[in-house]
Amino acid sequence: MKPLRLLVVFSLTMLFAGLADADDDSLVLQTRARVENPDEPGQFKIVYDKVQWDPKKTAVVICDMWNEHWCKGATGRVGEMAPRMNEVIKAAREKGVLIIHAPSGTLDTYNDTPQRKLAQSAPKVEPKVALRGWCHLDKNHESALPIDDSDGGCDCQPRCPSGHPWKSQIDTLEIAPGDAITDSAEAYYLLRQRGIENLIVMGVHTNMCVLGRPFSIRQMVYQDVNVVLMRDMTDSMYNSRKRPLVPHVRGTELVVEHIEKHWCPTITSSDFLGGPAFRFKQDDRPHVAFIVSDDHYHADKTLPVFAQMLRDRYGCYCSVLHGQGTSDIPATDELETADVVVVFVRRLALPKEQLDKLRKYVDAGKPLVALRTASHAFDIHGDTPEGCDEWPEFDAAVLGGSYHGHGPNTAGTDVAITAAAADHPILAGVAPKPWHSTGSLYNTAPIAADATLLMTGSQGDTTEPLTWVRQYKGGRVFYSGLGHPDDFGQPQFRRLLLNAVFWAMEKEIPQPRGEKKAD
């Protein structure tokens, strides 16, 4: 990791520790970052965190949300995103956050407004690093961008003619009393004048202005401002016919991931508005939501990596609802739009409104994939904190199991496919020969009569149901007692889990690269 990137993550983690004491007016943000492994340069770990910011020491900068762009596709996406963005800035403004509108190159439109004069009134201060009109890619701090935008990034066919048609910020975004308007270093002067330490960046485009403008990510990080990007309130200039030949929405995600690796963490608009994160209408990828809050089996580390594989290789949109080992799963509104939910948590009593969202999801007959400790995910033996709820019946009623303990941890589990299930689609491409898991054997018998047993687990003379499928209220359900951290290193398990996700959604089982299509 580069020293500057380390400083940003350290600042966000240390400055806002002690969240239990957060007051009702503070901003509580669910951040996602990618931290380089010092022992494996170029390898990044996905890190979820919760930070608290004082709204009076926080600003939002809205980058180049113009009324019109030379690319018609870009103009359309700005228009699609703007209503949600306006609700975000209204919510932030009501909290006491300073709103800075930065529609570059259009300030003549606003010359006589109090918002423009407010930005101009900030006294000039000496920055830590000289502020430039444009900050290009910093090869000493970041790798090359993951997309080829050398053609300007227009995704339309035929390509739109270049130009400068913008005259103002899009009218959908309200400019209110107390807001500021600028497109220059005045933004930094305004932050310093008001003692503002934190900056939320939104707007367009991630691979261009969001990184390069004097009021945006690169230059504000250089000034030691605590910066986050609102990753669902942005877009990229990327032509999907250029490298790496992925859909436009995935190209934007790749640049967001680049920013998370080299510059700053990201958040979503859900932190201000609730509800699922914003997605463009053209984003038709299946939505896989992961509910993770288990440091016992490191699901908080293994499943984010698996989710990244689904994004990179299999065209999925993934949400990781990360409880960080606590009885609180943020962003459970994502279940509203999920095509499948993957659950790997252990003995949590969640706030009732959160658990009710999962109940509503499964009661609607939607697909579910559950791993290992999900069999006792919401069973804390009756010692339920006030305002929370448990669901001890989840195992028997939904999953179709009857977990009642496990064997010795040191013995592991011998895994075998049942002969009757050898042709099941979930087992396509899974090596038929038995293999060994280092995870202890779960005692799960008897399983529901309507369940189809796919795998058994053995430990000495004891054999138990290990992996099975069934239906709950019309929705497909997959459960496996596998999920030990070492299992994720087994190609058989990764293939099994991949197949389960797509089977549960009733989609064609995908072919991993380098493998022939399974019959």
Side-chain angles (χ1 to χ4, degrees):
M1 174 182 288
K2 311 296 189 298
L4 186 57
R5 177 66 178 82
L6 180 60
L7 176 62
V8 173
V9 174
F10 181 80
S11 298
L12 286 169
T13 302
M14 298 303 295
L15 185 57
F16 309 112
L19 297 176
D21 298 327
D23 61 69
D24 292 340
D25 293 329
S26 62
L27 303 176
V28 179
L29 309 176
Q30 310 294 331
T31 66
R32 189 180 77 187
R34 293 166 195 264
V35 179
E36 190 169 16
N37 185 339
D39 298 324
E40 297 181 73
Q43 298 299 310
F44 291 82
K45 178 175 68 173
I46 304 170
V47 177
Y48 293 85
D49 202 359
K50 182 187 292 186
V51 300
Q52 176 193 339
W53 281 359
D54 180 349
K56 293 181 175 58
K57 294 185 178 181
T58 302
V60 165
V61 66
I62 305 160
C63 180
D64 292 355
M65 287 286 288
W66 291 314
N67 65 315
E68 185 180 2
H69 193 278
W70 61 264
C71 171
K72 291 180 180 179
T75 301
R77 287 187 293 273
V78 163
E80 187 181 343
M81 178 174 29
R84 173 84 172 182
M85 185 178 292
N86 192 53
E87 293 303 310
V88 172
I89 61 179
K90 282 169 60 178
R93 189 185 290 120
E94 289 170 2
K95 282 271 193 177
V97 174
L98 173 66
I99 308 300
I100 303 174
H101 304 265
S104 302
T106 70
L107 296 195
D108 287 348
T109 304
Y110 304 101
N111 273 342
D112 297 326
T113 65
Q115 292 87 355
R116 177 74 193 105
K117 292 176 181 178
L118 176 65
Q120 291 173 314
S121 70
K124 186 175 180 178
V125 295
E126 191 67 27
K128 294 187 176 181
V129 177
L131 290 162
R132 291 169 280 171
W134 186 268
C135 188
H136 293 277
L137 187 139
D138 183 348
K139 294 182 179 179
N140 294 320
H141 185 67
E142 60 187 311
S143 61
L145 290 178
I147 61 173
D148 180 356
D149 58 9
S150 59
D151 65 346
C154 179
D155 205 27
C156 302
Q157 279 290 351
R159 183 184 186 275
C160 303
S162 300
H164 298 84
W166 43 86
K167 303 298 181 185
S168 67
Q169 183 170 269
I170 188 170
D171 289 340
T172 310
L173 301 182
E174 178 188 2
I175 300 175
D179 293 359
I181 301 176
T182 184
D183 65 357
S184 69
E186 292 170 347
Y188 177 69
Y189 306 154
L190 195 56
L191 300 188
R192 286 294 168 254
Q193 180 190 44
R194 298 191 172 207
I196 289 175
E197 303 168 349
N198 315 309
L199 186 65
I200 300 169
V201 177
M202 60 184 73
V204 296
H205 291 97
T206 52
N207 53 318
M208 296 181 179
C209 302
V210 165
L211 277 170
R213 294 288 189 190
F215 49 78
S216 207
I217 289 176
R218 286 190 185 112
Q219 304 212 54
M220 291 298 103
V221 169
Y222 287 149
Q223 309 309 324
D224 292 341
V225 177
N226 298 307
V227 181
V228 295
L229 168 68
M230 192 169 284
R231 64 179 179 268
D232 65 327
M233 291 284 99
T234 191
D235 187 27
S236 64
M237 285 300 294
Y238 167 62
N239 178 2
S240 58
R241 287 165 287 277
K242 302 286 283 187
R243 180 187 59 80
L245 302 176
V246 296
H248 179 91
V249 289
R250 180 58 187 150
T252 299
E253 280 187 346
L254 289 172
V255 183
V256 168
E257 292 169 12
H258 174 91
I259 291 169
E260 291 173 343
K261 290 174 182 178
H262 303 292
W263 291 104
C264 68
T266 67
I267 61 173
T268 72
S269 59
S270 302
D271 287 333
F272 285 85
L273 302 179
F278 173 82
R279 294 174 69 186
F280 290 110
K281 285 182 285 189
Q282 72 182 88
D283 188 355
D284 59 357
R285 296 172 296 170
H287 181 189
V288 185
F290 295 83
I291 299 179
V292 178
S293 186
D294 191 343
D295 53 8
H296 186 71
Y297 283 111
H298 302 298
D300 56 331
K301 299 178 177 63
T302 54
L303 280 183
V305 173
F306 182 80
Q308 187 64 32
M309 183 191 74
L310 292 181
R311 294 186 192 103
D312 287 339
R313 300 183 187 178
Y314 300 106
C316 294
Y317 171 82
C318 296
S319 303
V320 179
L321 317 185
H322 198 294
Q324 302 169 47
T326 65
S327 295
D328 176 44
I329 304 293
T332 47
D333 286 338
E334 291 293 341
L335 301 186
E336 295 175 15
T337 60
D339 294 300
V340 63
V341 172
V342 181
V343 177
F344 195 167
V345 299
R346 176 178 179 268
R347 298 204 186 281
L348 295 182
L350 296 180
K352 187 176 186 304
E353 66 273 13
Q354 294 181 1
L355 196 54
D356 282 349
K357 290 171 186 174
L358 181 60
R359 284 192 176 103
K360 180 180 179 181
Y361 174 88
V362 296
D363 284 346
K366 294 183 177 180
L368 183 71
V369 171
L371 297 176
R372 200 152 175 85
T373 55
S375 59
H376 43 290
F378 312 112
D379 184 359
I380 64 168
H381 303 305
D383 188 17
T384 309
E386 184 178 355
C388 293
D389 198 7
E390 60 177 330
W391 192 2
E393 305 85 7
F394 178 71
D395 183 23
V398 179
L399 304 183
S402 54
Y403 173 78
H404 51 282
H406 58 82
N409 290 325
T410 55
T413 299
D414 293 322
V415 180
I417 293 173
T418 62
D423 293 329
H424 195 282
I426 286 180
L427 299 174
V430 178
K433 63 181 181 181
W435 54 283
H436 186 75
S437 168
T438 54
S440 59
L441 177 65
Y442 275 16
N443 302 320
T444 58
I447 62 175
D450 63 355
T452 299
L453 184 63
L454 304 182
M455 289 176 163
T456 60
S458 300
Q459 198 174 76
D461 296 331
T462 302
T463 298
E464 293 280 344
L466 182 66
T467 302
W468 61 85
V469 295
R470 69 186 298 248
Q471 288 199 352
Y472 179 74
K473 298 191 175 182
R476 291 184 172 187
V477 176
F478 167 94
Y479 172 79
S480 180
L482 297 168
H484 187 279
D486 291 344
D487 292 339
F488 284 86
Q490 294 273 8
Q492 299 98 314
F493 176 71
R494 294 196 304 273
R495 177 67 163 154
L496 176 74
L497 184 54
L498 172 68
N499 291 355
V501 166
F502 278 81
W503 172 86
M505 294 189 291
E506 300 188 45
K507 293 186 178 294
E508 183 179 356
I509 302 295
Q511 286 305 118
R513 294 173 182 173
E515 290 189 15
K516 295 181 180 179
K517 186 172 182 178
D519 295 330

